[in-house]
Each structure stands twice: as structure tokens, then as C-alpha cells.
Amino acid sequence: MDLSALLGDFDHRDWQDVTETDDPIRFAMIGVGWWTREQAMPAVESSALCETTVLVSGDREKAEDVAAGSETVEHAITYEEFHAGEASDAYDAVYVVTPNAYHLEYVETAAELGKAILCEKPMEATIERAERMVEVCADRDATLMIAYRMQTEPAVRRAKDLIDGGYIGDPVFVHGNMTEPILELVPDPDQWRLDWDASGGCAAMDIGIYSLNTARFLLDADPLRVQGSVASVQEEFEDVPDEHAAFQVTFPDHVFALCTASQNAAMASHIRVTGTEGQVRVEPAFYPWDDRKLHVSVGDTDTEIEFEQIDQMEEEFEYFAHCLLTDTDPHPDGEHGLTDIRTIKAVYHAAESGRAVDLD
Amino acid sequence: MDLSALLGDFDHRDWQDVTETDDPIRFAMIGVGWWTREQAMPAVESSALCETTVLVSGDREKAEDVAAGSETVEHAITYEEFHAGEASDAYDAVYVVTPNAYHLEYVETAAELGKAILCEKPMEATIERAERMVEVCADRDATLMIAYRMQTEPAVRRAKDLIDGGYIGDPVFVHGNMTEPILELVPDPDQWRLDWDASGGCAAMDIGIYSLNTARFLLDADPLRVQGSVASVQEEFEDVPDEHAAFQVTFPDHVFALCTASQNAAMASHIRVTGTEGQVRVEPAFYPWDDRKLHVSVGDTDTEIEFEQIDQMEEEFEYFAHCLLTDTDPHPDGEHGLTDIRTIKAVYHAAESGRAVDLD
């Protein structure tokens, strides 16, 4: 690795060839909640490679209200109209950001309509539905990317550059954490994240996936075995086992990742890789509104790298659009996302049984 | 908690009443390796409450050489002479710093001679021998402290003050790590730490105990259950299962501690407690030659506290001497140390069986 890239051009997009286009990727947003309005749409609006042209919601009025505030949105339609193919000439791709257990139906329709799909993580609420999503997209030859925005976060990519370049030697341990007070952020005890059927899991599924997937990305490896514990204490979490989740993942070459996630703790996040020669740590790491930092320790030298914060969502949308414009497969595809679903479901089995669970 | 103590008087000894004495505690050092010579003896020499008067070694010449460099040492004797009670009028207490599996015999003799005992951690190589140590000291009414120097490290004590004072809310997760390249630090493949019979375990036993015990101290709680994984990869570690160890400890109230330890990784250490309202982290934490720092995050405020580094060994020896001078029981007593031995042995069973192990 060229260290000057780390110091002088921290946020360079090593994946990018095309920086402008006359035909931006036109997105239909499936789901118009706060994340779409406050994170996804502004990111797409800033992007040179894509634009939002269609909004899809269960609530037409809400969709129309949001559309009225946008210069690019041409259609505000209902979920039923989406499934009926309405306005399908007006978009090239969909961004699926509904509750987890409803991702599949929108991906199926999008694939049938010949659209590309950017689907939020976790990709679905069960292994069977995630597998079905992969099959559907393969059958229809539809491009499917799972929205792991850490994979295009510059701090994480530079950490990976350092690891790949051998700067910390062979990885030995990963520690990862993501915690938030979900009932303060979304003060609704009936929200879907606390509903097992809608979410497929709470702390491990919704935010434990950040440590897990980022560990996989940094190590360029997939889990072999998991152990774990979960606990739900507060009444609001009675429908899910994991208000709190702690799990340990065995990767090839005896690399162990120890991950924690809580929906009822102070907002915090980090990921750290300790190797035979040094350490890299991204902290804060996972929340887009935090100023991420990269910390590197090798020998007696500790370095804390601050950099211009980029919009994680813009990076992700531009990466996906770039894949479509250059006819390139996205790295976090359906099979990639399915591995996380299998791993997290194994965490629940391990926690329930008190036994390590091997992944095939 | 008075926050001014954190900012203005960081390293105050909240345990101390007596600051000087005409009758310092006179120590016999049992084992005269580099740790005794370079860490323990200089600490005791700086102390107002204790002094080194006797050296005990398998090698009389080595002991005499070391004694010649000291102004306070009166006797350099062999292990056999120690067991025979030689020079026993010249010391009040012993510091046992032999390989783990030999601690018991020196503690037994010291207890029989009516001496107080500061015994290095892990207290012994097996549960049975650790239990025997507790019994022997109880039978002889001998004061036994296990040498957990983190419990008198100011950064750890201030972290505990913050936790006890409710500053981070209720603890939810602990992450701890201690790693070192033991074969670079001690370039001898036949060293006792790599010999199961002499050590009772490698990474988990020798250094995983730091994260475990510091978590117990910070949480003021004892483990209920453990899960874990161990791996030995390099040839030099073929006699022990844990060149690397990763384990997860369940504490009361569903608090999970995730700990890693390696004898073949870059030197690094930290301990972090995430609570419902904030985080505290000591990093670096466990190596006496590192400049420890305390990091506190509550709400949107991150604070990094640097302070005058104190000598961890001097704190520990003065605390122990202070207990003896004031007729106070040390916090980390034999029963306290025994809990760690039982916990770490359970980690090995959990790793071997792939099953969670409950602690009684």
C-alpha cells in the first residue's frame, strides 16, 4: 500500500473509473421513512451518478408530500401500484428500506420488472426468505446489492488497505461494538425493530450485523463458527430475545471476532483489529453522523487520523450506481448478505442452546 | 463521585490513611527473575511503607549478585533454606513470583512461618492447588493477597469511581484485550509460560486474567457463565491450548464481558465498559511501562484524561503494606483469586466442549 494515499488522499475512491454520466441511475425509493428522507434522498441528490425519480409508500399522501420537496421526483405511488408496475419506465433501480420481513416482496417485483436492487441490511428476516431473494435475482439476472455502507466508508477501506498491506501483520482478534438507545431514538414501543416477525431479530440482527459484516470485509473471510449470548430485560423487548447481544465468531486461521450490540445502551460504535504487528481501530465507526476516526498503532507509534467526513450514503449510492454504469458486480451481493443472515441466526441458536454452532 | 477528584487529584489513594511508618513491612522476594529485579524491587525501594530484606532463589549466586546491588537486602538464601525457616526473623511478608505451579509451596511455608503473603496472579496452576492455598492461609490465619495491580491502578480506580457514581448508567458490555509477543519478550521456547504443567494455561491464564479480573473489579461482580475459544498455531505453543484465547463471560444482570488474550500478537491492552449512558475506557491499560489513559464518553462529550503515570508496582506494594500496617483485609484475597482460576479453567472446558460452562 502507498502510505501517501492514507495521508494525502484519504477518501479517494479506489473503486471509481466513471465520475460523471449523461444518464444517471434513476431510483425508486421503496419506503419513505426518516432514513429515506434524511439520509438516502439527500445523498442521491448530491450524487453525480444517480437521482431519485419515484417514491413508493403505503401512504400516498406522505409520498406526495415528500415528492413536493424534491426537484427530481416524478411519481409518488403506493406499494400496490409499484407491484402493478406503475411508473416503471421512470426508474432503473430500487432502494428497499422497508422493515426487514418485507424486503423480499419488493425485490421480487423489482427483479420481475428488470430493475437493479439496492436492499438494506439485514437483507431479510429469515434465512429462507433471504435465499429466495438470491434465487429470484439470479433467475431474473437482476443486480442485487446489500446496503453495507461500511464497505465504502473511507476509514474502513483505509483500515482494510493497511491490513491487506501487512501493516499490522496477521490479524488475530477483532473487537466490534454498536449500541444505541432505540426507544429514545424512536420513542415507539410498537416499532417494527422490536417485533420478531417484522425484523427477524433485534440487537444482533439490526446492528450486530455492522460489526459482523465489517469484520468479514476487513478480514476478507467468512465465519466458521459462532457462540453467543442474548438478553432482553426491559418490557418493551419482550417479543425479541436480544435487547442486548454478545457473540463470538471464529474465522479461518483461528481469528476470533468478539461483537456486542445493544438497542438499550449509550450510542457508541467501534471496530478494532489486533494483529501480530499492530492494531487498527475505527472509532467512532458505524453511525453516519459521527466523525469517524482511524487509529493505527504499530510498534511504539500511535497515529490518530482525522479526515474530511464524507457522506456514507452518498458513497454507497455512487458505488452502486457506478457498478450499474460500468456493468460491474457489487461486492456485497445477495450471497454475501445471506452469509450474515445465516451467521446471525446461528448466534440465536447458539445463545439458546449454550452450544457453539458451526456454519457450513 | 466528586468530579474534582478525577480532574484535580487523579492519582489520590482513596484507600490510604497511613503514609509513613517507623516499622516498614520487610519483604522476602520469592523468585529473583527480571520482574522482581526490574519491577518489584525498585517499587519497594521507592516505598515509604516497605523494604526488601531477603531474596530467595534457586540460584544462590544470582540472589547474592542481586543482593549486592541493594542497600536493604540482608540475606540471600535458597528455596531450601527458605523452607527450613532460615532468616525468617528478617522479613514480615513474602512476594511469591515463581512460575504458577510453584506458588503453593512457598505460600504454605510462609503461612507456617506466620508471614503475610503477596502472591502473583494467577494464584496457582490448578483449582485444587488454589483451593489448598486458601485453606492453608485460613488455617494459619495468614494474610493472603493476590497481586492484581489493576485494582490499585489510578486509571482503573477512577474508571470504577465513574461507574459506581452512575456516570455511564448501568453497565451493559465490557471489552478487554491483552496481547504480547511472548517469544520476542522472552526468547526461549522452553520458558515456563509455554509449559502447561508449570503454568496451568497460556494466554487465558497468564494475561486473559487481566481483562477478566479488571472486569470483575469494575463491575463489582463475579462470573456466572463462560464461553470461549482457544487456539495454538505455532510449534512453540504445542504444549498449551491457548497461544490465542477469546472468551465471553456472563455477569449478573445480563452484563457480558468479551475478552481476548494472545501470547503471539502485537503488545496492546485496553478495557472498556459501555453503559446505558456512556462509556469508560482505559487504554493502554495493563502494561506498567505504557502511559495509561482514561477515556470517558457521555452524551456528546468525549474526554481523554492524561495524568502523571504512577508506578503500578509501588501502588500495589504500598496497598498491601498498608493493609498489614492497618490490620485491614486486602480486597483481592485468596477467595477472590480462586474465582479467576475457576473461571479460566471453565474457559478451557468451554473451548474444548463447545458448550457454555456455568460457574457455581
Side-chain angles (χ1 to χ4, degrees), chain A residues 139-176:
Chain A
D139 289 349
R140 297 284 175 167
D141 205 19
T143 298
L144 170 64
M145 172 168 146
I146 311 303
Y148 292 109
R149 64 178 192 278
M150 286 308 117
Q151 296 197 14
T152 44
E153 160 63 50
V156 172
R157 287 190 85 86
R158 296 299 85 77
K160 181 166 165 57
D161 288 343
L162 287 166
I163 294 168
D164 291 347
Y167 279 80
I168 65 161
D170 298 324
V172 176
F173 298 130
V174 180
H175 281 256

mmCIF file of all heavy atoms in Angstrom, chain A residues 139-176:
data_model
loop_
_atom_site.group_PDB
_atom_site.id
_atom_site.type_symbol
_atom_site.label_atom_id
_atom_site.label_comp_id
_atom_site.label_asym_id
_atom_site.label_seq_id
_atom_site.Cartn_x
_atom_site.Cartn_y
_atom_site.Cartn_z
ATOM 1 N N ASP A 139 -32.490 -15.730 -11.085
ATOM 2 C CA ASP A 139 -33.408 -16.137 -12.166
ATOM 3 C C ASP A 139 -33.674 -15.003 -13.138
ATOM 4 O O ASP A 139 -33.812 -15.222 -14.339
ATOM 5 C CB ASP A 139 -34.757 -16.607 -11.575
ATOM 6 C CG ASP A 139 -34.623 -17.939 -10.854
ATOM 7 O OD1 ASP A 139 -33.558 -18.585 -10.998
ATOM 8 O OD2 ASP A 139 -35.570 -18.317 -10.126
ATOM 9 N N ARG A 140 -33.821 -13.813 -12.610
ATOM 10 C CA ARG A 140 -34.160 -12.658 -13.463
ATOM 11 C C ARG A 140 -32.926 -11.890 -13.916
ATOM 12 O O ARG A 140 -33.058 -10.828 -14.523
ATOM 13 C CB ARG A 140 -35.101 -11.719 -12.682
ATOM 14 C CG ARG A 140 -36.416 -12.350 -12.312
ATOM 15 C CD ARG A 140 -37.343 -12.428 -13.516
ATOM 16 N NE ARG A 140 -38.573 -13.153 -13.184
ATOM 17 C CZ ARG A 140 -39.641 -13.148 -13.963
ATOM 18 N NH1 ARG A 140 -39.640 -12.489 -15.102
ATOM 19 N NH2 ARG A 140 -40.722 -13.818 -13.606
ATOM 20 N N ASP A 141 -31.753 -12.391 -13.532
ATOM 21 C CA ASP A 141 -30.497 -11.722 -13.880
ATOM 22 C C ASP A 141 -30.498 -10.260 -13.395
ATOM 23 O O ASP A 141 -30.023 -9.349 -14.096
ATOM 24 C CB ASP A 141 -30.270 -11.778 -15.398
ATOM 25 C CG ASP A 141 -28.795 -11.666 -15.744
ATOM 26 O OD1 ASP A 141 -27.955 -11.913 -14.854
ATOM 27 O OD2 ASP A 141 -28.481 -11.307 -16.898
ATOM 28 N N ALA A 142 -31.085 -10.066 -12.211
ATOM 29 C CA ALA A 142 -31.164 -8.720 -11.642
ATOM 30 C C ALA A 142 -29.958 -8.473 -10.733
ATOM 31 O O ALA A 142 -29.586 -9.339 -9.944
ATOM 32 C CB ALA A 142 -32.452 -8.569 -10.829
ATOM 33 N N THR A 143 -29.378 -7.301 -10.856
ATOM 34 C CA THR A 143 -28.273 -6.935 -9.967
ATOM 35 C C THR A 143 -28.833 -6.650 -8.574
ATOM 36 O O THR A 143 -29.754 -5.854 -8.418
ATOM 37 C CB THR A 143 -27.553 -5.680 -10.495
ATOM 38 O OG1 THR A 143 -27.014 -5.986 -11.778
ATOM 39 C CG2 THR A 143 -26.440 -5.259 -9.546
ATOM 40 N N LEU A 144 -28.263 -7.329 -7.579
ATOM 41 C CA LEU A 144 -28.687 -7.144 -6.188
ATOM 42 C C LEU A 144 -27.476 -6.774 -5.342
ATOM 43 O O LEU A 144 -26.501 -7.524 -5.299
ATOM 44 C CB LEU A 144 -29.313 -8.441 -5.652
ATOM 45 C CG LEU A 144 -29.593 -8.498 -4.132
ATOM 46 C CD1 LEU A 144 -30.628 -7.455 -3.719
ATOM 47 C CD2 LEU A 144 -30.065 -9.908 -3.739
ATOM 48 N N MET A 145 -27.565 -5.642 -4.700
ATOM 49 C CA MET A 145 -26.523 -5.263 -3.732
ATOM 50 C C MET A 145 -27.174 -5.079 -2.368
ATOM 51 O O MET A 145 -28.251 -4.486 -2.266
ATOM 52 C CB MET A 145 -25.830 -3.957 -4.151
ATOM 53 C CG MET A 145 -24.868 -3.394 -3.093
ATOM 54 S SD MET A 145 -23.806 -2.049 -3.732
ATOM 55 C CE MET A 145 -23.645 -1.013 -2.251
ATOM 56 N N ILE A 146 -26.526 -5.603 -1.329
ATOM 57 C CA ILE A 146 -26.995 -5.364 0.034
ATOM 58 C C ILE A 146 -26.248 -4.130 0.560
ATOM 59 O O ILE A 146 -25.040 -3.990 0.371
ATOM 60 C CB ILE A 146 -26.764 -6.592 0.934
ATOM 61 C CG1 ILE A 146 -27.289 -7.875 0.243
ATOM 62 C CG2 ILE A 146 -27.426 -6.386 2.293
ATOM 63 C CD1 ILE A 146 -28.759 -7.857 -0.156
ATOM 64 N N ALA A 147 -26.998 -3.267 1.226
ATOM 65 C CA ALA A 147 -26.517 -1.909 1.502
ATOM 66 C C ALA A 147 -25.593 -1.843 2.733
ATOM 67 O O ALA A 147 -25.945 -1.266 3.760
ATOM 68 C CB ALA A 147 -27.714 -0.970 1.667
ATOM 69 N N TYR A 148 -24.428 -2.445 2.597
ATOM 70 C CA TYR A 148 -23.417 -2.357 3.665
ATOM 71 C C TYR A 148 -22.579 -1.119 3.418
ATOM 72 O O TYR A 148 -21.556 -1.167 2.737
ATOM 73 C CB TYR A 148 -22.533 -3.603 3.638
ATOM 74 C CG TYR A 148 -23.262 -4.867 4.030
ATOM 75 C CD1 TYR A 148 -23.568 -5.839 3.085
ATOM 76 C CD2 TYR A 148 -23.638 -5.089 5.353
ATOM 77 C CE1 TYR A 148 -24.234 -7.007 3.444
ATOM 78 C CE2 TYR A 148 -24.306 -6.250 5.718
ATOM 79 C CZ TYR A 148 -24.592 -7.201 4.764
ATOM 80 O OH TYR A 148 -25.243 -8.356 5.123
ATOM 81 N N ARG A 149 -22.979 -0.023 4.013
ATOM 82 C CA ARG A 149 -22.279 1.221 3.683
ATOM 83 C C ARG A 149 -20.879 1.278 4.280
ATOM 84 O O ARG A 149 -20.056 2.108 3.878
ATOM 85 C CB ARG A 149 -23.110 2.448 4.098
ATOM 86 C CG ARG A 149 -23.358 2.608 5.557
ATOM 87 C CD ARG A 149 -24.154 3.896 5.864
ATOM 88 N NE ARG A 149 -24.122 4.138 7.285
ATOM 89 C CZ ARG A 149 -24.923 3.560 8.173
ATOM 90 N NH1 ARG A 149 -25.869 2.736 7.778
ATOM 91 N NH2 ARG A 149 -24.800 3.802 9.465
ATOM 92 N N MET A 150 -20.571 0.395 5.252
ATOM 93 C CA MET A 150 -19.198 0.369 5.785
ATOM 94 C C MET A 150 -18.184 -0.037 4.718
ATOM 95 O O MET A 150 -17.017 0.326 4.803
ATOM 96 C CB MET A 150 -19.083 -0.612 6.962
ATOM 97 C CG MET A 150 -19.720 -0.119 8.227
ATOM 98 S SD MET A 150 -19.144 1.544 8.663
ATOM 99 C CE MET A 150 -20.696 2.410 8.550
ATOM 100 N N GLN A 151 -18.646 -0.782 3.733
ATOM 101 C CA GLN A 151 -17.709 -1.260 2.708
ATOM 102 C C GLN A 151 -17.262 -0.142 1.769
ATOM 103 O O GLN A 151 -16.304 -0.319 1.010
ATOM 104 C CB GLN A 151 -18.325 -2.424 1.936
ATOM 105 C CG GLN A 151 -18.576 -3.629 2.846
ATOM 106 C CD GLN A 151 -18.798 -4.920 2.073
ATOM 107 O OE1 GLN A 151 -18.527 -5.010 0.888
ATOM 108 N NE2 GLN A 151 -19.292 -5.942 2.773
ATOM 109 N N THR A 152 -17.956 0.998 1.812
ATOM 110 C CA THR A 152 -17.486 2.148 1.034
ATOM 111 C C THR A 152 -17.141 3.339 1.937
ATOM 112 O O THR A 152 -16.918 4.442 1.444
ATOM 113 C CB THR A 152 -18.530 2.573 -0.023
ATOM 114 O OG1 THR A 152 -19.841 2.565 0.572
ATOM 115 C CG2 THR A 152 -18.527 1.614 -1.200
ATOM 116 N N GLU A 153 -17.096 3.105 3.227
ATOM 117 C CA GLU A 153 -16.660 4.139 4.187
ATOM 118 C C GLU A 153 -15.129 4.256 4.061
ATOM 119 O O GLU A 153 -14.412 3.263 4.234
ATOM 120 C CB GLU A 153 -17.083 3.713 5.593
ATOM 121 C CG GLU A 153 -16.342 4.359 6.751
ATOM 122 C CD GLU A 153 -16.533 5.869 6.817
ATOM 123 O OE1 GLU A 153 -17.679 6.310 6.770
ATOM 124 O OE2 GLU A 153 -15.510 6.584 6.906
ATOM 125 N N PRO A 154 -14.611 5.453 3.772
ATOM 126 C CA PRO A 154 -13.158 5.576 3.575
ATOM 127 C C PRO A 154 -12.326 5.077 4.759
ATOM 128 O O PRO A 154 -11.285 4.438 4.545
ATOM 129 C CB PRO A 154 -12.961 7.083 3.369
ATOM 130 C CG PRO A 154 -14.266 7.571 2.847
ATOM 131 C CD PRO A 154 -15.315 6.720 3.486
ATOM 132 N N ALA A 155 -12.771 5.352 5.992
ATOM 133 C CA ALA A 155 -11.967 4.918 7.152
ATOM 134 C C ALA A 155 -11.853 3.398 7.178
ATOM 135 O O ALA A 155 -10.789 2.845 7.481
ATOM 136 C CB ALA A 155 -12.581 5.437 8.444
ATOM 137 N N VAL A 156 -12.940 2.729 6.845
ATOM 138 C CA VAL A 156 -12.910 1.261 6.827
ATOM 139 C C VAL A 156 -12.066 0.760 5.655
ATOM 140 O O VAL A 156 -11.272 -0.181 5.800
ATOM 141 C CB VAL A 156 -14.346 0.701 6.769
ATOM 142 C CG1 VAL A 156 -14.335 -0.800 6.558
ATOM 143 C CG2 VAL A 156 -15.114 1.060 8.048
ATOM 144 N N ARG A 157 -12.203 1.402 4.505
ATOM 145 C CA ARG A 157 -11.405 0.962 3.347
ATOM 146 C C ARG A 157 -9.911 1.192 3.585
ATOM 147 O O ARG A 157 -9.078 0.357 3.216
ATOM 148 C CB ARG A 157 -11.857 1.677 2.066
ATOM 149 C CG ARG A 157 -13.202 1.171 1.555
ATOM 150 C CD ARG A 157 -13.518 1.704 0.158
ATOM 151 N NE ARG A 157 -12.930 0.903 -0.903
ATOM 152 C CZ ARG A 157 -13.497 -0.175 -1.431
ATOM 153 N NH1 ARG A 157 -14.647 -0.627 -0.979
ATOM 154 N NH2 ARG A 157 -12.892 -0.840 -2.410
ATOM 155 N N ARG A 158 -9.558 2.297 4.242
ATOM 156 C CA ARG A 158 -8.145 2.540 4.525
ATOM 157 C C ARG A 158 -7.642 1.556 5.587
ATOM 158 O O ARG A 158 -6.503 1.102 5.525
ATOM 159 C CB ARG A 158 -7.920 3.985 4.965
ATOM 160 C CG ARG A 158 -8.236 5.051 3.916
ATOM 161 C CD ARG A 158 -7.404 4.975 2.649
ATOM 162 N NE ARG A 158 -7.939 4.042 1.664
ATOM 163 C CZ ARG A 158 -9.002 4.279 0.862
ATOM 164 N NH1 ARG A 158 -9.650 5.421 0.919
ATOM 165 N NH2 ARG A 158 -9.393 3.349 -0.013
ATOM 166 N N ALA A 159 -8.502 1.227 6.549
ATOM 167 C CA ALA A 159 -8.116 0.186 7.519
ATOM 168 C C ALA A 159 -7.852 -1.125 6.790
ATOM 169 O O ALA A 159 -6.878 -1.830 7.068
ATOM 170 C CB ALA A 159 -9.223 0.012 8.565
ATOM 171 N N LYS A 160 -8.715 -1.431 5.839
ATOM 172 C CA LYS A 160 -8.520 -2.670 5.061
ATOM 173 C C LYS A 160 -7.239 -2.605 4.226
ATOM 174 O O LYS A 160 -6.504 -3.595 4.117
ATOM 175 C CB LYS A 160 -9.737 -2.923 4.174
ATOM 176 C CG LYS A 160 -9.643 -4.210 3.350
ATOM 177 C CD LYS A 160 -10.998 -4.575 2.765
ATOM 178 C CE LYS A 160 -10.876 -5.622 1.647
ATOM 179 N NZ LYS A 160 -10.205 -6.860 2.092
ATOM 180 N N ASP A 161 -6.960 -1.428 3.655
ATOM 181 C CA ASP A 161 -5.702 -1.271 2.909
ATOM 182 C C ASP A 161 -4.508 -1.593 3.799
ATOM 183 O O ASP A 161 -3.563 -2.271 3.384
ATOM 184 C CB ASP A 161 -5.557 0.174 2.400
ATOM 185 C CG ASP A 161 -6.513 0.503 1.254
ATOM 186 O OD1 ASP A 161 -7.057 -0.439 0.629
ATOM 187 O OD2 ASP A 161 -6.718 1.706 0.993
ATOM 188 N N LEU A 162 -4.553 -1.063 5.025
ATOM 189 C CA LEU A 162 -3.445 -1.305 5.955
ATOM 190 C C LEU A 162 -3.325 -2.796 6.276
ATOM 191 O O LEU A 162 -2.223 -3.346 6.306
ATOM 192 C CB LEU A 162 -3.659 -0.514 7.247
ATOM 193 C CG LEU A 162 -3.442 0.997 7.141
ATOM 194 C CD1 LEU A 162 -4.009 1.701 8.369
ATOM 195 C CD2 LEU A 162 -1.953 1.312 6.989
ATOM 196 N N ILE A 163 -4.464 -3.433 6.532
ATOM 197 C CA ILE A 163 -4.442 -4.861 6.841
ATOM 198 C C ILE A 163 -3.930 -5.647 5.637
ATOM 199 O O ILE A 163 -3.025 -6.478 5.751
ATOM 200 C CB ILE A 163 -5.849 -5.342 7.260
ATOM 201 C CG1 ILE A 163 -6.250 -4.689 8.585
ATOM 202 C CG2 ILE A 163 -5.891 -6.871 7.377
ATOM 203 C CD1 ILE A 163 -7.724 -4.859 8.946
ATOM 204 N N ASP A 164 -4.492 -5.357 4.462
ATOM 205 C CA ASP A 164 -4.081 -6.084 3.249
ATOM 206 C C ASP A 164 -2.604 -5.853 2.948
ATOM 207 O O ASP A 164 -1.932 -6.733 2.401
ATOM 208 C CB ASP A 164 -4.927 -5.636 2.050
ATOM 209 C CG ASP A 164 -6.377 -6.080 2.164
ATOM 210 O OD1 ASP A 164 -6.673 -6.923 3.034
ATOM 211 O OD2 ASP A 164 -7.214 -5.585 1.378
ATOM 212 N N GLY A 165 -2.114 -4.661 3.273
ATOM 213 C CA GLY A 165 -0.718 -4.341 3.031
ATOM 214 C C GLY A 165 0.234 -4.919 4.057
ATOM 215 O O GLY A 165 1.447 -4.739 3.958
ATOM 216 N N GLY A 166 -0.309 -5.606 5.055
ATOM 217 C CA GLY A 166 0.539 -6.283 6.040
ATOM 218 C C GLY A 166 1.019 -5.389 7.173
ATOM 219 O O GLY A 166 1.857 -5.811 7.974
ATOM 220 N N TYR A 167 0.467 -4.178 7.280
ATOM 221 C CA TYR A 167 0.998 -3.238 8.281
ATOM 222 C C TYR A 167 0.791 -3.692 9.715
ATOM 223 O O TYR A 167 1.570 -3.331 10.591
ATOM 224 C CB TYR A 167 0.432 -1.840 8.058
ATOM 225 C CG TYR A 167 1.173 -1.114 6.968
ATOM 226 C CD1 TYR A 167 0.889 -1.376 5.632
ATOM 227 C CD2 TYR A 167 2.205 -0.231 7.258
ATOM 228 C CE1 TYR A 167 1.597 -0.758 4.615
ATOM 229 C CE2 TYR A 167 2.911 0.385 6.256
ATOM 230 C CZ TYR A 167 2.612 0.124 4.927
ATOM 231 O OH TYR A 167 3.319 0.724 3.933
ATOM 232 N N ILE A 168 -0.258 -4.457 9.973
ATOM 233 C CA ILE A 168 -0.451 -4.938 11.354
ATOM 234 C C ILE A 168 -0.134 -6.431 11.449
ATOM 235 O O ILE A 168 -0.453 -7.072 12.432
ATOM 236 C CB ILE A 168 -1.878 -4.647 11.874
ATOM 237 C CG1 ILE A 168 -2.949 -5.413 11.091
ATOM 238 C CG2 ILE A 168 -2.158 -3.144 11.877
ATOM 239 C CD1 ILE A 168 -4.282 -5.515 11.836
ATOM 240 N N GLY A 169 0.548 -6.972 10.449
ATOM 241 C CA GLY A 169 0.875 -8.403 10.463
ATOM 242 C C GLY A 169 -0.367 -9.239 10.191
ATOM 243 O O GLY A 169 -1.297 -8.789 9.513
ATOM 244 N N ASP A 170 -0.379 -10.438 10.714
ATOM 245 C CA ASP A 170 -1.557 -11.299 10.544
ATOM 246 C C ASP A 170 -2.621 -10.918 11.568
ATOM 247 O O ASP A 170 -2.324 -10.815 12.761
ATOM 248 C CB ASP A 170 -1.181 -12.766 10.765
ATOM 249 C CG ASP A 170 -0.158 -13.262 9.754
ATOM 250 O OD1 ASP A 170 -0.229 -12.825 8.590
ATOM 251 O OD2 ASP A 170 0.718 -14.057 10.136
ATOM 252 N N PRO A 171 -3.864 -10.728 11.133
ATOM 253 C CA PRO A 171 -4.927 -10.444 12.096
ATOM 254 C C PRO A 171 -5.085 -11.584 13.103
ATOM 255 O O PRO A 171 -4.943 -12.764 12.745
ATOM 256 C CB PRO A 171 -6.175 -10.321 11.218
ATOM 257 C CG PRO A 171 -5.661 -9.920 9.879
ATOM 258 C CD PRO A 171 -4.354 -10.664 9.743
ATOM 259 N N VAL A 172 -5.343 -11.225 14.349
ATOM 260 C CA VAL A 172 -5.535 -12.215 15.425
ATOM 261 C C VAL A 172 -6.936 -12.068 16.027
ATOM 262 O O VAL A 172 -7.663 -13.049 16.157
ATOM 263 C CB VAL A 172 -4.446 -12.056 16.514
ATOM 264 C CG1 VAL A 172 -4.689 -13.016 17.668
ATOM 265 C CG2 VAL A 172 -3.055 -12.288 15.915
ATOM 266 N N PHE A 173 -7.296 -10.835 16.399
ATOM 267 C CA PHE A 173 -8.600 -10.590 17.045
ATOM 268 C C PHE A 173 -9.305 -9.388 16.414
ATOM 269 O O PHE A 173 -8.653 -8.428 16.005
ATOM 270 C CB PHE A 173 -8.437 -10.265 18.530
ATOM 271 C CG PHE A 173 -7.818 -11.350 19.367
ATOM 272 C CD1 PHE A 173 -6.757 -11.068 20.222
ATOM 273 C CD2 PHE A 173 -8.302 -12.653 19.325
ATOM 274 C CE1 PHE A 173 -6.192 -12.056 21.016
ATOM 275 C CE2 PHE A 173 -7.733 -13.652 20.119
ATOM 276 C CZ PHE A 173 -6.678 -13.350 20.965
ATOM 277 N N VAL A 174 -10.623 -9.457 16.424
ATOM 278 C CA VAL A 174 -11.442 -8.294 16.093
ATOM 279 C C VAL A 174 -12.355 -8.030 17.289
ATOM 280 O O VAL A 174 -12.934 -8.972 17.853
ATOM 281 C CB VAL A 174 -12.313 -8.548 14.840
ATOM 282 C CG1 VAL A 174 -13.160 -7.313 14.513
ATOM 283 C CG2 VAL A 174 -11.457 -8.964 13.652
ATOM 284 N N HIS A 175 -12.456 -6.770 17.696
ATOM 285 C CA HIS A 175 -13.488 -6.360 18.658
ATOM 286 C C HIS A 175 -14.397 -5.368 17.939
ATOM 287 O O HIS A 175 -13.906 -4.438 17.291
ATOM 288 C CB HIS A 175 -12.882 -5.661 19.877
ATOM 289 C CG HIS A 175 -12.281 -6.584 20.888
ATOM 290 N ND1 HIS A 175 -12.891 -6.898 22.072
ATOM 291 C CD2 HIS A 175 -11.113 -7.273 20.883
ATOM 292 C CE1 HIS A 175 -12.123 -7.729 22.769
ATOM 293 N NE2 HIS A 175 -11.038 -7.974 22.071
ATOM 294 N N GLY A 176 -15.704 -5.571 18.049
ATOM 295 C CA GLY A 176 -16.637 -4.634 17.438
ATOM 296 C C GLY A 176 -17.819 -4.373 18.350
ATOM 297 O O GLY A 176 -18.255 -5.268 19.079
#
